[in-house]
Amino acid sequence: MIRIHATAVALAGRAVLLLGPSGSGKSDLALRLIDRGWQLVADDQVELRREGDALWATAPVRLAGLIEVRGVGICSESAVAAPVALAIDLAGTPDRLPDPVPGTWLDVAIPTLCLTASAASAALQVERALRAHGLAIKAVGMVDCPSVPPPAAAPMLVVSGMSGAGKSTALKALEDLQYEAVDNLPLGLVDALLASSEDGDRLLVRPLAFGIDTRTRAFDAEALVERLRALRAEGVDVRLLYLDCADDELTRRFSETRRRHPLAADRPAADGIGRERALTAPLRRWADMIIDTTELSVSDLRRRIAEQLGRSGADMLNITLQSFGFAKGLPRDADLVFDMRFLANPHWNIALRPLTGEDPAVAAFVAGDPAYAPALDRIADLLITLLPGYVREGKAYLTVAIGCTGGRHRSVAVARDLAERLMAAGHAPLLMHRDVASRGSDAAISPDTLTPALTPSLTLGPKSGEQDRA
């Protein structure tokens, strides 16, 4: 199974992949198709798996039934899983009389056309393209696809504890875990927030975390505990996280930051700490989770929260493998860059030139280079070694850019191979091909001018102004 950056919709048991970079109109076109009777498969990220000769498209569990509507927000839709019959590239240049070029995922060839999402007739064009060029999917014989259940009401997490123990850091960590975080929420607004989250037309699709402490207006720990008990009795999944810290460490933190304790505006911080400990004692007794931050760094606290909430550190790191062409410049958001121009270039093989690195023939050609296997083994080992360190330091996003001259052959094949290796190691990378739809990027470069390196290069972060030296 692989995960790609795309949107997928289905009609009568056949799915269409909508490909293109962010902002190319994938979600907007999907919304127009849904309005015409199509069904959502997945928005933004699509998981592809092979079953026999068919390529199945489904949504990642956390994104099932969700679609982004710009200007409105995240909306819920009934979703299905379906075999892929056609792919639409929204970043390419449409041909007047197109001849579908097969795109290949998991060794399954899918007819691919280029369309413009902003065209008024784009939805009609997709329907006719599916009718004219889409695979029949006769071998599967599936019309009614199994529905993905809509997301259930999300859980709620109350974050409280001692001032200076790290509540702000905890709420930021929860935001990175896809929580909707609200700090210093007045008790009188808790019911209003719950009512808005239970509105059937606006189903809360993200778990909710809100911070309440002694700064909160009309703070009453006993009243808060009783309200949380009542919510549980009503079936609401609500938990309480209490952040604690030793008194001497809290005193040191307030001294170093030169902040006043909220309960000791004109007195020593120790007086406010003692008073606050007494006021929040009912919350500590009732808490589902207690984290003592006395010896924890910011990274340690973020990791502890992820562990307490049932997510591993690897889940917190969003890994993107992006192929690109040096001819069009380095990706701006790349953290690591590997140069694949030392490999034999399929562009100079007339039979392979029209294909891409997703095609088995191109992938086999690239892998046949004697330098390919040892280089890929070392790159994969390096990435697998580095990833735990990025997780430990709290990094949320990592983009690994794989480049070749034009971004259509070598980099695509290598990125796909690396994605499969990382998945085998337990990671879930997002695979993107920035320049795979470009044509003729290598054509302006003569083989005589190519000076391939003997080993792949590693660049830590993109260098501004770097040019293609192939």
Side-chain angles (χ1 to χ4, degrees):
M1 183 182 72
I2 61 173
R3 183 182 296 185
I4 65 172
H5 179 62
T7 293
V9 287
L11 180 67
R14 293 193 295 172
V16 174
L17 292 177
L18 304 179
L19 310 172
S22 297
S24 60
K26 300 187 297 294
S27 298
D28 180 77
L29 180 54
L31 192 65
R32 283 183 275 164
L33 289 166
I34 291 171
D35 188 53
R36 294 178 58 83
W38 289 59
Q39 291 177 285
L40 176 68
V41 174
D43 183 39
D44 190 61
Q45 296 184 35
V46 180
E47 289 185 348
L48 300 175
R49 71 178 189 275
R50 180 169 179 172
E51 292 188 6
D53 294 330
L55 183 71
W56 277 78
T58 59
V61 174
R62 287 183 294 175
L63 301 179
L66 305 179
I67 184 171
E68 178 184 356
V69 182
R70 295 206 174 188
V72 177
I74 304 298
C75 299
S76 59
E77 287 283 341
S78 60
V80 300
V84 179
L86 182 69
I88 301 294
D89 183 1
L90 301 178
T93 302
D95 294 330
R96 183 173 181 180
L97 298 174
D99 184 14
V101 177
T104 305
W105 293 271
L106 299 177
D107 295 328
V108 179
I110 303 296
T112 303
L113 294 172
C114 295
L115 294 176
T116 302
S118 60
S121 61
L124 294 172
Q125 291 174 346
V126 173
E127 291 179 351
R128 280 153 179 76
L130 178 62
R131 186 184 309 162
H133 302 290
L135 301 178
I137 315 293
K138 291 181 180 179
V140 177
M142 174 145 185
V143 176
D144 296 323
C145 303
S147 296
V148 177
M156 294 175 53
L157 181 66
V158 179
V159 182
S160 190
M162 299 295 292
S163 299
K167 183 165 63 69
S168 297
T169 298
L171 289 172
K172 291 179 180 178
L174 289 167
E175 285 184 339
D176 291 340
L177 293 174
Q178 304 304 311
Y179 277 73
E180 183 177 357
V182 182
D183 193 12
N184 199 18
L185 181 70
L187 295 181
L189 296 181
V190 172
D191 289 339
L193 189 62
L194 287 173
S196 66
S197 69
E198 293 169 353
D199 185 344
D201 293 332
R202 297 195 301 127
L203 182 65
L204 185 66
V205 295
R206 294 169 59 192
L208 173 66
F210 56 89
I212 294 180
D213 58 21
T214 52
R215 298 173 301 155
T216 302
R217 183 183 305 174
F219 176 80
D220 186 335
E222 293 285 1
L224 177 59
V225 168
E226 290 302 319
R227 183 68 185 106
L228 295 179
R229 283 175 176 166
L231 289 173
R232 281 193 179 175
E234 296 169 5
V236 178
D237 181 7
V238 58
R239 290 176 290 172
L240 174 61
L241 167 63
Y242 186 94
L243 299 175
D244 202 353
C245 186
D247 290 0
D248 56 346
E249 175 63 16
L250 289 175
T251 302
R252 186 190 66 79
R253 292 178 184 180
F254 277 103
S255 176
E256 288 187 351
T257 60
R258 298 184 180 182
R259 291 177 50 210
R260 293 183 181 274
H261 193 282
L263 298 183
D266 55 354
R267 299 179 62 81
D271 291 352
I273 292 170
R275 183 183 175 194
E276 184 174 47
R277 193 169 293 283
L279 288 174
T280 61
L283 296 178
R284 195 182 195 283
R285 289 194 299 269
W286 196 79
D288 301 280
M289 298 171 284
I290 299 176
I291 299 179
D292 190 322
T293 67
T294 304
E295 303 293 337
L296 299 183
S297 66
V298 171
S299 298
D300 292 336
L301 176 56
R302 293 170 63 93
R303 183 166 56 252
R304 183 72 61 82
I305 289 173
E307 293 170 352
Q308 292 274 14
L309 295 175
R311 290 191 59 185
S312 66
D315 292 332
M316 297 175 60
L317 180 62
N318 293 274
I319 306 168
T320 299
L321 291 176
Q322 183 180 54
S323 68
F324 74 96
F326 280 96
K328 294 184 179 295
L330 284 168
R332 293 181 179 273
D333 57 349
D335 297 294
L336 302 174
V337 178
F338 293 94
D339 186 351
M340 294 297 112
R341 291 175 293 184
F342 69 96
L343 296 171
N345 193 346
H347 176 82
W348 306 116
N349 185 311
I350 299 300
L352 299 180
R353 183 178 299 178
L355 306 178
T356 73
E358 291 283 359
D359 293 284
V362 174
F365 180 93
V366 175
D369 190 304
Y372 180 91
L376 264 289
D377 289 343
R378 287 169 173 77
I379 293 173
D381 288 343
L382 175 62
L383 291 177
I384 293 172
T385 301
L386 294 178
L387 293 179
Y390 288 123
V391 172
R392 186 171 58 252
E393 293 303 312
K395 188 173 180 62
Y397 296 93
L398 179 71
T399 299
V400 181
I402 314 296
C404 64
T405 307
R408 300 189 66 246
H409 298 115
R410 293 167 289 182
S411 61
V412 174
V414 169
R416 181 176 176 228
D417 191 345
L418 284 176
E420 293 175 353
R421 296 185 186 213
L422 290 182
M423 290 179 65
H427 301 281
L430 173 64
L431 184 60
M432 299 178 62
H433 302 307
R434 191 190 73 177
D435 301 323
V436 72
S438 301
R439 299 286 183 178
S441 298
D442 290 324
I445 304 174
S446 167
D448 297 333
T449 66
L450 295 177
T451 55
L454 296 178
T455 57
S457 65
L458 167 64
T459 303
L460 298 181
K463 296 180 181 179
S464 59
E466 186 168 342
Q467 302 295 322
D468 179 16
R469 298 184 177 87

